[in-house]
Amino acid sequence: MLDQKDLRPKDMGRSDEQLIKLDNLIPLLTPYDKPGMESPLTDPKPAWKEKYCTSLDGYIGIDTLTRPKTKEEEDEFVRKFLSGLEKIFSDANNGVLQPLLLSFEYCAKCNTCSDACHIYTAAGNNELYRPIYRSEVLRKIVKKYFTTSGKFLGGFVGADIDVNWETIARLGELAYRCNLCRRCAQTCPLGLDNAILTKEIRKIFSQEMGIAPTPLHTKGTMLQIKTGSSTGLSKPAFLDTLEFLEEDTEEKFGIKLKFPVDKKGADILVLHNAGEFMAWPENPVAFAILFDAAGLNWTLSSEIMGYDSVNYGLWYDDVQAKKIATMQMKVAKDFGVKRLVVAECGHAHKASMITADRMGTDRLPVESCLPLLWDMVKSKRLILDPSKNNFPVTLHDPCNVVRQMGIVEPQRNVLKAICPQFREMTPHGVDNYCCGGGSGFAIMNSANFPEFRTQVASRVKFNQILGAFKGTMEDTSTPKYICAPCSNCKGAMRGLLEHYDATEKYNLQYGGLVELMVNALVSLKKPFLEFLE
């Protein structure tokens, strides 16, 4: 095993059992700086080493990437990758060719992006996670196979890399050690984007080689195409869930809630991440209460593809992303609504509002819920009492909503209006760090990957949270609320708080924005947030 300081891109083809070991993570802030507050990282099981690619860093992100049984299978694996690699530099690459070429060709190797990367930072500046390390491996492979100088001069022109199953498999795994948060792109002095290269590697594996993490593809995209939801929530089950939530809301709060479903010609079709109905049903309930209180003309859809805003193809496969985006838009148009409003799901914001624009024409307007929620507060369509939220609250900025789309102020304005003890993380806004669950990490639970997500990818975020609540963390009588207006981010927060037992030990809570808004409604006679009861 190499000392990580000696690791070079050409080492991806080495025969080592494992390139690096994570043994220098940055320390956590108080109160988690005490001995015994964090479990040690574990080694992969011997059976995993035999079946999967654990030779990168010991973790398994792609559970469908298994070792070949014959030399022919290994050769075919490499051939398919090289074929896909050649294709990404064609005009057919879905409108990203120009930024891809710029990012591929003009990197100055200044390493400005490294300090911006939360995974590189969390891992103690480990060379393997330096953003340009992955990009340099890709450049070396391209130079070796697709340039004249590389073919004939090899290492003399930087084409010094052995390309075999291990090399390509490690590169595939390394593409899933990046949250695609694009903080690196934001800081690059040349405006280049390493995340584009990472996404292209993922696309080659999926579109050319048929290899993608099961939670994203088989249990995500394919299940959504089949049932209408990435959760497998069928139409009858969805309608039963709404009926139960209506009854539960009346029983708990005395509110006779009625979800409008399949309402033709409504102004707004609301798209939720269907995971909310399963894991955080208080979120769609809160939206319904607020929209009704504000007198909006809105509806949900029970039609297949119309009740789940998820589009996991955004992270790994353009073909699958286009299928979902096209089907979702068709449902909206069939209903005759005027616009779609994406609820608290960060990647759905980008998938539906930006990426889908490149994938089809004749589209309806698609908007974020956040400006709409602020307008409801600003225009006083809701009667709110901030004193009902008089506990420390901080805001997590979902990468896809804030850094990549520039929706920065509406959610802050709401919190400043309804939460007297609101405090910002450091840094925040477009400079904020990823939750660690981005690009699919939040739902990738195969083998030992949750350990990497929680203790490495989410590590800087956890320190941000601890820093925001400095001075109040050990006051267990006071709830401390992380407002994360994104379903995927909430999934990462849930794993983080469970792993560190932070809710039980320190009364650290998490949830969305709309739950705080409903909790502040003057008309609500009891707390909407369960931890306040």
Side-chain angles (χ1 to χ4, degrees), residues 3-6 20-28 41 114-115 117-131 452 455-457 459-460 463:
D3 184 318
Q4 63 92 7
K5 293 179 182 177
D6 298 326
I20 62 103
K21 186 176 178 63
L22 282 162
D23 53 10
N24 190 35
L25 300 183
I26 61 168
L28 293 174
L41 298 178
S114 299
D115 291 337
C117 177
H118 59 288
I119 292 179
Y120 174 75
T121 300
N125 295 353
N126 194 300
E127 284 296 316
L128 185 65
Y129 307 117
R130 190 185 293 276
F452 180 86
Q455 294 189 242
V456 184
R459 196 172 192 84
V460 172
N463 267 347

Side-chain angles (χ1 to χ4, degrees), residues 17-66:
E17 183 176 295
Q18 190 174 311
L19 284 184
I20 62 103
K21 186 176 178 63
L22 282 162
D23 53 10
N24 190 35
L25 300 183
I26 61 168
L28 293 174
L29 298 179
T30 186
Y32 284 89
D33 55 346
K34 303 180 183 68
M37 291 293 281
E38 182 173 23
S39 56
L41 298 178
T42 59
D43 292 323
K45 296 178 181 179
W48 293 346
K49 294 180 182 180
E50 292 180 10
K51 184 176 181 180
Y52 303 108
C53 177
T54 60
S55 64
L56 181 74
D57 55 6
Y59 291 99
I60 302 160
I62 314 176
D63 59 338
T64 55
L65 175 56
T66 55

Side-chain angles (χ1 to χ4, degrees), residues 379-508:
S379 62
K380 302 192 183 303
R381 299 172 80 172
L382 304 172
I383 303 175
L384 304 167
D385 178 5
S387 68
K388 299 173 81 172
N389 288 331
N390 194 19
F391 45 85
V393 174
T394 193
L395 175 64
H396 163 68
D397 291 291
C399 301
N400 282 306
V401 176
V402 180
R403 177 163 36 257
Q404 298 193 43
M405 294 183 64
I407 305 173
V408 181
E409 295 302 324
Q411 58 272 40
R412 289 183 155 70
N413 292 335
V414 171
L415 290 175
K416 290 172 184 176
I418 66 172
C419 298
Q421 296 190 53
F422 170 64
R423 72 275 311 277
E424 293 276 18
M425 291 185 187
T426 303
H428 56 266
V430 296
D431 295 317
N432 204 3
Y433 286 102
C434 177
C435 64
S439 80
F441 283 24
I443 59 171
M444 289 168 58
N445 293 314
S446 301
N448 57 355
F449 195 76
E451 181 177 275
F452 180 86
R453 177 187 65 230
T454 302
Q455 294 189 242
V456 184
S458 293
R459 196 172 192 84
V460 172
K461 175 52 60 181
F462 193 42
N463 267 347
Q464 277 195 289
I465 293 167
L466 297 176
F469 292 124
K470 184 179 180 180
T472 66
M473 275 297 298
E474 298 189 65
D475 178 7
T476 57
S477 64
T478 302
K480 294 157 281 285
Y481 189 91
I482 309 160
C483 177
C486 167
S487 185
N488 200 65
C489 298
K490 285 193 297 190
M493 297 295 173
R494 176 180 57 194
L496 192 58
L497 300 188
E498 287 177 354
H499 178 81
Y500 290 105
D501 202 16
T503 300
E504 182 69 25
K505 288 180 178 177
Y506 299 110
N507 204 353
L508 196 56

